[in-house]
């Protein structure tokens, strides 16, 4: 409850969301200035007038406003389509950046150890490297699988239970494949919701 003439209370989530959205517009400006290209990102930037409305939100966030709750916020934050678009664009920017880092490692034909060193160096340089969906969980699962196999081999256990456990260790590869398929399907669904044909971008 606020007194007459006082500014309304501003929730922390509104501040965080506005800052995140406004910051992503800065990324868009950098993308377009540097003339980077990516089929999905470029198509998303052409969807509706979301980019122009986001620009107004950026101005309302980073420029002085007489009111804490500027009308420049409402047009974007009250639109579920715009927020879905922004979330999808954010995830595709993260995917693009990670792909670029991986491409450098592949092009240089780095060993797995050198590839990881390159990723670590990149993350240290920019302060961050986006993870792929479920990447951390899958890596922990992989390490557990490797350690379990080593422990079984060291124990010399050849019981039925040990053989069953060894057979189940191949589930890691299945988990990776299933995760990749779920991510692919999720991306297709997001593009469809935004009125785009996913067959044009994701095979």
């Amino acid at each position: 409850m606020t007194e007459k003439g006082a500014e309304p209370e501003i929730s922390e989530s509104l501040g965080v969301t506005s800052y995140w959205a406004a910051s992503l517009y800065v990324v868009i400006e950098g993308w377009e200035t540097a003339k980077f290209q990516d089929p999905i990102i470029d198509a998303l930037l052409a969807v509706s007038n979301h980019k122009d409305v986001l620009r107004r939100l950026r101005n309302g966030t980073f420029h002085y406003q007489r009111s804490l709750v500027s009308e420049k916020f409402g047009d974007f934050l009250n639109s579920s389509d715009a927020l879905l678009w922004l979330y999808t664009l954010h995830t595709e920017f993260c995917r693009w950046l990670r792909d670029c880092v991986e491409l450098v490692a592949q092009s240089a034909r780095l060993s797995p150890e050198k590839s990881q060193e390159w990723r670590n160096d990149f993350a240290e340089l920019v302060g961050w490297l986006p993870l792929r969906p479920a990447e951390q969980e899958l890596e922990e699962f992989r390490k557990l699988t490797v350690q379990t196999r080593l422990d079984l081999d060291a124990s010399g256990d050849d019981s039925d239970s040990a053989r069953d456990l060894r057979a189940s260790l191949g589930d890691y590869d299945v988990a990776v494949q299933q995760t990749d398929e779920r991510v692919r399907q999720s991306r297709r669904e997001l593009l469809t919701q935004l009125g785009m044909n996913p067959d044009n971008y994701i095979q």
Side-chain angles (χ1 to χ4, degrees):
M1 189 82 174
T2 61
E3 297 179 2
K4 185 177 180 180
E7 289 284 4
E9 294 181 3
I10 307 299
S11 69
E12 181 178 350
S13 62
L14 175 60
V16 171
T17 301
S18 298
Y19 187 83
W20 164 61
S23 298
L24 196 58
Y25 188 82
V26 177
V27 176
I28 293 172
E29 289 182 315
W31 175 271
E32 293 179 339
T33 300
K35 300 188 184 307
F36 290 130
Q37 292 182 326
D38 178 83
I40 295 181
I41 292 175
D42 293 339
L44 284 169
L45 291 176
V47 168
S48 187
N49 66 334
H50 294 325
K51 187 175 71 171
D52 290 336
V53 178
L54 179 60
R55 178 182 53 78
R56 296 184 69 230
L57 183 144
R58 185 279 309 269
N59 292 342
T61 301
F62 291 147
H63 298 168
Y64 171 75
Q65 306 294 321
R66 291 182 180 276
S67 171
L68 288 176
V69 184
S70 169
E71 64 179 17
K72 295 178 180 180
F73 289 23
D75 291 344
F76 194 90
L77 297 179
N78 291 330
S79 169
S80 59
D81 285 346
L83 289 172
L84 177 65
W85 171 82
L86 189 69
Y87 169 78
T88 306
L89 183 62
H90 176 97
T91 58
E92 291 299 333
F93 272 134
C94 289
R95 184 266 311 161
W96 179 86
L97 178 59
R98 185 56 185 257
D99 285 351
C100 286
V101 173
E102 298 291 347
L103 182 61
V104 170
Q106 293 172 8
S107 299
R109 299 185 179 182
L110 300 179
S111 66
E113 295 77 14
K114 287 294 184 181
S115 292
Q116 187 58 52
E117 184 179 336
W118 154 241
R119 294 187 195 96
N120 293 342
D121 288 345
F122 181 90
E124 184 176 350
L125 176 66
V126 302
W128 173 71
L129 176 62
L131 295 175
R132 297 195 184 283
E135 182 175 358
Q136 185 171 349
E137 293 84 352
L138 286 172
E139 178 59 16
E140 291 173 357
F141 183 29
R142 185 193 67 79
K143 290 179 179 178
L144 177 62
T145 299
V146 170
Q147 187 59 51
T148 301
R149 183 176 284 110
L150 291 173
D151 292 345
L152 279 172
D153 291 344
S155 71
D157 189 349
D158 195 36
S159 64
D160 289 343
S161 296
R163 286 196 293 272
D164 289 342
L165 182 55
R166 284 190 178 90
S168 71
L169 294 179
D171 288 347
Y172 169 73
D173 292 334
V174 175
V176 171
Q177 293 172 2
Q178 291 176 341
T179 300
D180 286 345
E181 179 55 31
R182 284 196 295 270
V183 170
R184 175 178 171 276
Q185 187 58 36
S186 176
R187 291 176 71 207
R188 291 180 61 86
E189 291 171 359
L190 286 171
L191 295 180
T192 299
Q193 290 180 57
L194 290 167
M196 299 166 60
N197 183 354
D199 291 337
N200 294 337
Y201 309 101
I202 303 173
Q203 301 305 316

Short mmCIF file of all heavy atoms in Angstrom, two decimals, residues 124-154:
data_model
loop_
_atom_site.label_atom_id
_atom_site.label_comp_id
_atom_site.label_asym_id
_atom_site.label_seq_id
_atom_site.Cartn_x
_atom_site.Cartn_y
_atom_site.Cartn_z
N GLU A 124 37.43 -18.17 -18.37
CA GLU A 124 38.15 -17.25 -17.49
C GLU A 124 38.28 -15.87 -18.14
O GLU A 124 38.17 -14.83 -17.47
CB GLU A 124 39.53 -17.80 -17.16
CG GLU A 124 40.32 -16.95 -16.18
CD GLU A 124 41.65 -17.57 -15.80
OE1 GLU A 124 41.90 -18.75 -16.15
OE2 GLU A 124 42.45 -16.87 -15.15
N LEU A 125 38.47 -15.85 -19.46
CA LEU A 125 38.64 -14.59 -20.17
C LEU A 125 37.36 -13.75 -20.15
O LEU A 125 37.40 -12.55 -19.86
CB LEU A 125 39.06 -14.86 -21.62
CG LEU A 125 39.19 -13.63 -22.53
CD1 LEU A 125 40.33 -12.74 -22.06
CD2 LEU A 125 39.41 -14.06 -23.98
N VAL A 126 36.22 -14.38 -20.46
CA VAL A 126 34.96 -13.62 -20.54
C VAL A 126 34.16 -13.72 -19.24
O VAL A 126 33.15 -13.02 -19.09
CB VAL A 126 34.10 -14.10 -21.72
CG1 VAL A 126 34.85 -13.96 -23.03
CG2 VAL A 126 33.63 -15.54 -21.52
N GLY A 127 34.60 -14.57 -18.33
CA GLY A 127 33.90 -14.70 -17.05
C GLY A 127 32.79 -15.72 -17.05
O GLY A 127 32.12 -15.91 -16.03
N TRP A 128 32.60 -16.40 -18.18
CA TRP A 128 31.45 -17.31 -18.26
C TRP A 128 31.48 -18.09 -19.57
O TRP A 128 31.95 -17.60 -20.59
CB TRP A 128 30.17 -16.48 -18.21
CG TRP A 128 28.90 -17.19 -18.45
CD1 TRP A 128 28.28 -18.08 -17.62
CD2 TRP A 128 28.03 -17.05 -19.58
NE1 TRP A 128 27.09 -18.50 -18.16
CE2 TRP A 128 26.91 -17.87 -19.35
CE3 TRP A 128 28.10 -16.28 -20.74
CZ2 TRP A 128 25.86 -17.97 -20.26
CZ3 TRP A 128 27.06 -16.38 -21.66
CH2 TRP A 128 25.96 -17.21 -21.40
N LEU A 129 31.02 -19.33 -19.51
CA LEU A 129 30.82 -20.13 -20.72
C LEU A 129 29.51 -20.89 -20.51
O LEU A 129 29.40 -21.67 -19.56
CB LEU A 129 31.96 -21.10 -20.97
CG LEU A 129 31.78 -22.05 -22.17
CD1 LEU A 129 31.69 -21.25 -23.46
CD2 LEU A 129 32.92 -23.05 -22.25
N PRO A 130 28.51 -20.64 -21.34
CA PRO A 130 27.22 -21.30 -21.11
C PRO A 130 27.34 -22.81 -21.22
O PRO A 130 28.03 -23.33 -22.11
CB PRO A 130 26.32 -20.73 -22.22
CG PRO A 130 27.27 -20.23 -23.27
CD PRO A 130 28.49 -19.78 -22.54
N LEU A 131 26.68 -23.49 -20.31
CA LEU A 131 26.63 -24.95 -20.35
C LEU A 131 25.54 -25.37 -21.32
O LEU A 131 24.55 -24.67 -21.53
CB LEU A 131 26.32 -25.51 -18.97
CG LEU A 131 27.36 -25.29 -17.87
CD1 LEU A 131 26.83 -25.81 -16.54
CD2 LEU A 131 28.67 -25.96 -18.21
N ARG A 132 25.72 -26.53 -21.90
CA ARG A 132 24.65 -27.10 -22.68
C ARG A 132 23.60 -27.64 -21.71
O ARG A 132 23.91 -27.92 -20.56
CB ARG A 132 25.16 -28.22 -23.58
CG ARG A 132 26.16 -27.74 -24.63
CD ARG A 132 26.37 -28.76 -25.72
NE ARG A 132 27.40 -28.33 -26.66
CZ ARG A 132 27.22 -27.42 -27.62
NH1 ARG A 132 26.03 -26.85 -27.74
NH2 ARG A 132 28.19 -27.08 -28.43
N PRO A 133 22.33 -27.80 -22.15
CA PRO A 133 21.30 -28.30 -21.24
C PRO A 133 21.69 -29.63 -20.60
O PRO A 133 22.13 -30.55 -21.28
CB PRO A 133 20.08 -28.48 -22.17
CG PRO A 133 20.30 -27.45 -23.24
CD PRO A 133 21.79 -27.42 -23.46
N ALA A 134 21.59 -29.70 -19.28
CA ALA A 134 21.89 -30.89 -18.49
C ALA A 134 23.35 -31.31 -18.55
O ALA A 134 23.70 -32.41 -18.15
CB ALA A 134 20.99 -32.06 -18.91
N GLU A 135 24.22 -30.43 -19.06
CA GLU A 135 25.63 -30.79 -19.23
C GLU A 135 26.29 -31.16 -17.89
O GLU A 135 27.02 -32.15 -17.79
CB GLU A 135 26.39 -29.66 -19.88
CG GLU A 135 27.86 -29.97 -20.14
CD GLU A 135 28.57 -28.85 -20.90
OE1 GLU A 135 27.92 -27.85 -21.26
OE2 GLU A 135 29.77 -28.99 -21.13
N GLN A 136 26.03 -30.37 -16.86
CA GLN A 136 26.66 -30.63 -15.58
C GLN A 136 26.18 -31.94 -15.00
O GLN A 136 26.98 -32.74 -14.49
CB GLN A 136 26.36 -29.49 -14.60
CG GLN A 136 27.09 -29.62 -13.28
CD GLN A 136 26.94 -28.37 -12.42
OE1 GLN A 136 26.47 -27.34 -12.89
NE2 GLN A 136 27.34 -28.46 -11.19
N GLU A 137 24.86 -32.19 -15.08
CA GLU A 137 24.31 -33.44 -14.56
C GLU A 137 24.86 -34.65 -15.32
O GLU A 137 25.20 -35.67 -14.71
CB GLU A 137 22.79 -33.43 -14.65
CG GLU A 137 22.11 -32.42 -13.74
CD GLU A 137 22.05 -31.03 -14.33
OE1 GLU A 137 22.67 -30.80 -15.41
OE2 GLU A 137 21.40 -30.16 -13.74
N LEU A 138 24.97 -34.52 -16.64
CA LEU A 138 25.50 -35.62 -17.44
C LEU A 138 26.97 -35.87 -17.13
O LEU A 138 27.42 -37.03 -17.10
CB LEU A 138 25.33 -35.33 -18.93
CG LEU A 138 23.90 -35.44 -19.48
CD1 LEU A 138 23.85 -34.93 -20.91
CD2 LEU A 138 23.40 -36.88 -19.41
N GLU A 139 27.73 -34.81 -16.90
CA GLU A 139 29.15 -34.98 -16.57
C GLU A 139 29.31 -35.68 -15.22
O GLU A 139 30.17 -36.56 -15.07
CB GLU A 139 29.86 -33.62 -16.55
CG GLU A 139 31.33 -33.68 -16.17
CD GLU A 139 32.18 -34.55 -17.09
OE1 GLU A 139 31.73 -34.87 -18.21
OE2 GLU A 139 33.30 -34.90 -16.69
N GLU A 140 28.48 -35.33 -14.25
CA GLU A 140 28.55 -36.00 -12.96
C GLU A 140 28.16 -37.47 -13.10
O GLU A 140 28.77 -38.35 -12.47
CB GLU A 140 27.61 -35.30 -11.97
CG GLU A 140 28.09 -33.91 -11.57
CD GLU A 140 27.09 -33.16 -10.74
OE1 GLU A 140 25.98 -33.70 -10.51
OE2 GLU A 140 27.39 -32.03 -10.30
N PHE A 141 27.17 -37.76 -13.96
CA PHE A 141 26.77 -39.12 -14.21
C PHE A 141 27.90 -39.90 -14.89
O PHE A 141 28.18 -41.06 -14.55
CB PHE A 141 25.51 -39.11 -15.09
CG PHE A 141 24.93 -40.48 -15.38
CD1 PHE A 141 25.07 -41.53 -14.49
CD2 PHE A 141 24.23 -40.70 -16.56
CE1 PHE A 141 24.53 -42.77 -14.75
CE2 PHE A 141 23.70 -41.94 -16.84
CZ PHE A 141 23.84 -42.99 -15.94
N ARG A 142 28.59 -39.25 -15.83
CA ARG A 142 29.71 -39.90 -16.52
C ARG A 142 30.83 -40.25 -15.53
O ARG A 142 31.37 -41.37 -15.56
CB ARG A 142 30.27 -38.99 -17.61
CG ARG A 142 31.36 -39.64 -18.47
CD ARG A 142 32.09 -38.61 -19.31
NE ARG A 142 32.86 -37.69 -18.50
CZ ARG A 142 34.05 -37.98 -17.98
NH1 ARG A 142 34.61 -39.17 -18.19
NH2 ARG A 142 34.70 -37.08 -17.26
N LYS A 143 31.17 -39.30 -14.66
CA LYS A 143 32.23 -39.56 -13.68
C LYS A 143 31.84 -40.71 -12.75
O LYS A 143 32.68 -41.55 -12.40
CB LYS A 143 32.50 -38.30 -12.88
CG LYS A 143 33.20 -37.20 -13.67
CD LYS A 143 33.41 -35.96 -12.82
CE LYS A 143 34.12 -34.86 -13.61
NZ LYS A 143 34.28 -33.62 -12.80
N LEU A 144 30.59 -40.74 -12.34
CA LEU A 144 30.12 -41.83 -11.48
C LEU A 144 30.21 -43.17 -12.20
O LEU A 144 30.61 -44.18 -11.61
CB LEU A 144 28.67 -41.55 -11.04
CG LEU A 144 28.01 -42.64 -10.18
CD1 LEU A 144 28.77 -42.80 -8.87
CD2 LEU A 144 26.55 -42.28 -9.91
N THR A 145 29.86 -43.15 -13.49
CA THR A 145 29.93 -44.38 -14.29
C THR A 145 31.37 -44.89 -14.38
O THR A 145 31.63 -46.08 -14.20
CB THR A 145 29.39 -44.11 -15.70
OG1 THR A 145 28.02 -43.71 -15.62
CG2 THR A 145 29.49 -45.34 -16.58
N VAL A 146 32.30 -43.97 -14.67
CA VAL A 146 33.71 -44.35 -14.79
C VAL A 146 34.23 -44.89 -13.46
O VAL A 146 34.90 -45.93 -13.42
CB VAL A 146 34.55 -43.14 -15.24
CG1 VAL A 146 36.05 -43.46 -15.13
CG2 VAL A 146 34.21 -42.75 -16.67
N GLN A 147 33.93 -44.20 -12.37
CA GLN A 147 34.42 -44.63 -11.06
C GLN A 147 33.83 -45.98 -10.66
O GLN A 147 34.52 -46.83 -10.10
CB GLN A 147 34.08 -43.57 -9.99
CG GLN A 147 34.70 -43.86 -8.63
CD GLN A 147 36.22 -43.95 -8.71
OE1 GLN A 147 36.86 -43.05 -9.24
NE2 GLN A 147 36.80 -45.03 -8.19
N THR A 148 32.56 -46.17 -10.96
CA THR A 148 31.91 -47.44 -10.64
C THR A 148 32.56 -48.59 -11.40
O THR A 148 32.81 -49.67 -10.85
CB THR A 148 30.41 -47.38 -10.96
OG1 THR A 148 29.81 -46.32 -10.20
CG2 THR A 148 29.72 -48.69 -10.60
N ARG A 149 32.84 -48.35 -12.68
CA ARG A 149 33.49 -49.39 -13.48
C ARG A 149 34.89 -49.71 -12.93
O ARG A 149 35.28 -50.89 -12.85
CB ARG A 149 33.59 -48.93 -14.94
CG ARG A 149 34.19 -50.01 -15.86
CD ARG A 149 34.19 -49.58 -17.31
NE ARG A 149 32.87 -49.66 -17.91
CZ ARG A 149 32.13 -48.61 -18.26
NH1 ARG A 149 32.59 -47.39 -18.06
NH2 ARG A 149 30.95 -48.78 -18.80
N LEU A 150 35.64 -48.70 -12.54
CA LEU A 150 36.97 -48.92 -11.95
C LEU A 150 36.87 -49.70 -10.65
O LEU A 150 37.67 -50.62 -10.41
CB LEU A 150 37.66 -47.57 -11.71
CG LEU A 150 38.09 -46.79 -12.95
CD1 LEU A 150 38.61 -45.41 -12.56
CD2 LEU A 150 39.17 -47.56 -13.73
N ASP A 151 35.91 -49.34 -9.82
CA ASP A 151 35.73 -50.04 -8.54
C ASP A 151 35.36 -51.50 -8.75
O ASP A 151 35.85 -52.40 -8.05
CB ASP A 151 34.66 -49.34 -7.70
CG ASP A 151 35.10 -47.96 -7.21
OD1 ASP A 151 36.31 -47.67 -7.27
OD2 ASP A 151 34.23 -47.18 -6.79
N LEU A 152 34.49 -51.75 -9.73
CA LEU A 152 34.09 -53.12 -10.02
C LEU A 152 35.28 -53.95 -10.52
O LEU A 152 35.48 -55.10 -10.11
CB LEU A 152 32.98 -53.14 -11.06
CG LEU A 152 31.56 -52.87 -10.57
CD1 LEU A 152 30.62 -52.71 -11.75
CD2 LEU A 152 31.08 -53.98 -9.65
N ASP A 153 36.06 -53.35 -11.42
CA ASP A 153 37.23 -54.06 -11.95
C ASP A 153 38.24 -54.35 -10.85
O ASP A 153 38.85 -55.44 -10.82
CB ASP A 153 37.89 -53.24 -13.06
CG ASP A 153 37.02 -53.15 -14.31
OD1 ASP A 153 36.07 -53.95 -14.43
OD2 ASP A 153 37.29 -52.27 -15.16
N ALA A 154 38.42 -53.39 -9.96
CA ALA A 154 39.39 -53.58 -8.87
C ALA A 154 38.93 -54.64 -7.88
O ALA A 154 39.74 -55.34 -7.28
CB ALA A 154 39.63 -52.25 -8.16
#
